[in-house]
């Protein structure tokens, strides 16, 4: 299996509901360093999984809408804790949509999976990996 | 598949038996930077794989007993080379036990796997990944 | 010149005032990875700049009060943008105070300077270095 | 599953054919930081996946022939774009051969897979993972 | 002394003249990860050394002209080896010019120095630090 | 001021004397990732501070003698705690000697200083910087 992975980053505020979160129930924030990996069994005729420029652009298109935001104010997330885990899935879903609508410049049926990793600090990160087909 | 991964570190001494190890047969040591990843198909109602505070605590509870030790003196390891690979499995087994006894705050049956990665330097690391069920 | 440097981290929310900040005028947040370096011309009789455990404790004592906070709500910062640069100076001042009150376990007159570096992302950081005497 | 991973690096020039590559169609270059991971279900009697010294040597033996080269001039690559993805597969094939001819000091039938990761910058990397049997 | 530092990256080809360079006399290439630090004794009224967005833009404006180039073909470098050391000075000179022409949004006379660091791999880097006044 | 910096690493055992060290009084160990920076006001006619190959070789020549050793057994260190700080000075002294005896391929009088940084973990490091003249 081949993969290509690109990186971007955002700075956001949010708060969590649930006693488990302790002090993180207060409004706080995070820098999220986000890696998006695209997996495919085969390379395309140019010798790539996807155009790395298109991959960077697709990831940026997803995360720039969240940058410098208070995630508590985004209706799309209403009712859910915007944990690092939750956000990996959100970015995955948006990238899967981008793949299916052709934004990556390769037929999504030739891609096997996407993995989104978000590091919230130097000592903690989360990822979500799911199939595209 | 979702995952959350946390990091800790220890500084230990040990020696290896076996000609393969060359100069590492002598007593030497290592800083081990240890990442423990917990994998689950679904998030819990709070939107997490496991409470990240509990994950940090569970990893620390395992590795702090090894910190500042000569691993050659630990009876529990008797007879085995405490290679980086061996230790990834040891930490995995201890974390799997913690998961099963509820230390992570989530039913272990809802977790799919644990992966323990130990970097012994900037150019070498090992990992062990195993199922929890 | 000798130095020893230790690391900690916090997750905070804040907003900035001033057109220069563009979208960062909105409430957002950051993970700050904070390195505190203590500099001295000579080592103490134990062969250290300062007790590294005391250095970790002193840094943690400063930054834990900011962790999971909205910095806009902290009266101590009233009237100033809590930029990364501003915070490096704040942490410096607090650590200099800790050094002078003996928290580092070495006479502050034997220390030359402190440097505080805060990385706000993988592509941006700030630092402040000042003398202790 | 156990794994051990080692790192090396090379500095090369090359160019790409295909409009997709935009400015990268011109002769340019890259530092490739290369991680080779060897996976096995079980450890050998010494407690390792493979001798880490042999792993470092096997990886170096593959990549040193590419170091300080213009990859466009290497007949072995003729007709293909030497993308990061392509090179992960090339290094994989060479390491699989090394495993099968015994260079790793362990019977290749005891190894499950090899994964080769090449970082082309701090924000982009590719990998190839394939079975050995 | 305060500082703020931003990061960018380029991928270039070049060759060196001089027996000292051994195999690096051949055409090869590099990924250069470039950090530009701006130093000032005081923060501006907004609480920053310079606008970090302007700093990123100024660095990008300098390095994008080199990206995907064969540095041997750039007349401006004619006659000199484009070593990592040489390039740190080149980027410094261009950034100093940007500071003096106001591109950083702060009077250059309020800045003390610029430091440019270029990492050519995970195990080698160079920097140049010079005063602005 | 120009600088070039190279990296190497060793794995050692040792113990400390002094109550300050707490559990580190026991025999333990460390991976030390060692960066040696060579500083000069001017570049040589080849456009370098020092031959980077010579720099790597000089650093390796110093640290390889310590690799896989119990530092408590090295008479040269007798009577001193081999703290990270102590070792930065030891490596500095050895590299300064190498510079003065011509091992770096450049007249030591053209070099201004050497800085040796040793990271003992992902959260702690020390350095020593001294003049060469």
């Amino acid at each position: 299996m081949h993969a290509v992975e690109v990186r971007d980053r955002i700075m956001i505020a949010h708060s969590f509901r649930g006693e488990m979160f302790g002090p993180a129930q207060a409004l706080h924030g995070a820098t999220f360093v986000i890696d998006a990996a695209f997996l495919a069994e085969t390379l395309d005729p140019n010798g790539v999984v996807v155009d790395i420029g298109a991959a960077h652009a697709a990831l940026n298109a997803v995360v720039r809408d969240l940058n410098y935001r208070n995630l508590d104010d985004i209706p799309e997330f209403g009712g859910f804790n915007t944990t690092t885990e939750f956000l990996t899935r959100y970015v995955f879903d948006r990238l899967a949509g981008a793949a299916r609508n052709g934004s990556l410049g390769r037929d999504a049926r030739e891609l096997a999976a996407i993995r989104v990793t978000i590091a919230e600090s130097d000592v903690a990160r989360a990822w979500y990996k799911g199939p595209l087909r």
Side-chain angles (χ1 to χ4, degrees), chain A:
Chain A
M1 181 72 78
H2 282 282
V4 67
E5 189 173 46
V6 295
R7 173 168 290 188
D8 210 322
R9 62 209 58 80
I10 57 174
M11 304 178 84
I12 58 88
H14 60 169
S15 61
F16 296 141
R17 283 167 301 156
E19 287 187 17
M20 163 207 282
F21 294 103
Q25 293 176 87
L27 183 69
H28 63 288
T31 304
F32 288 133
V33 178
I34 305 159
D35 290 309
F38 302 90
L39 289 83
E41 286 291 347
T42 59
L43 299 182
D44 81 355
N46 285 305
V48 300
V49 172
V50 292
D51 175 357
I52 200 167
H56 273 293
L59 177 58
N60 186 258
V62 172
V63 302
R64 74 182 167 216
D65 290 340
L66 305 180
N67 203 10
Y68 297 121
R69 301 285 297 278
N70 179 352
L71 302 186
D72 296 351
D73 295 340
I74 298 184
E76 192 173 0
F77 297 149
F80 291 98
N81 282 319
T82 54
T83 59
T84 312
E85 291 95 321
F86 173 88
L87 291 166
T88 56
R89 178 62 190 265
Y90 169 79
V91 176
F92 169 86
D93 286 339
R94 292 282 305 272
L95 289 176
R100 291 194 189 102
N101 74 21
S103 299
L104 293 172
R106 190 176 183 191
D107 190 321
R109 288 169 296 187
E110 299 182 52
L111 297 176
I114 292 176
R115 186 185 72 187
V116 175
T117 305
I118 300 183
E120 67 179 60
S121 80
D122 59 322
V123 296
R125 60 178 185 161
W127 65 84
Y128 180 76
K129 182 180 175 183
L132 260 180
R133 287 167 295 197

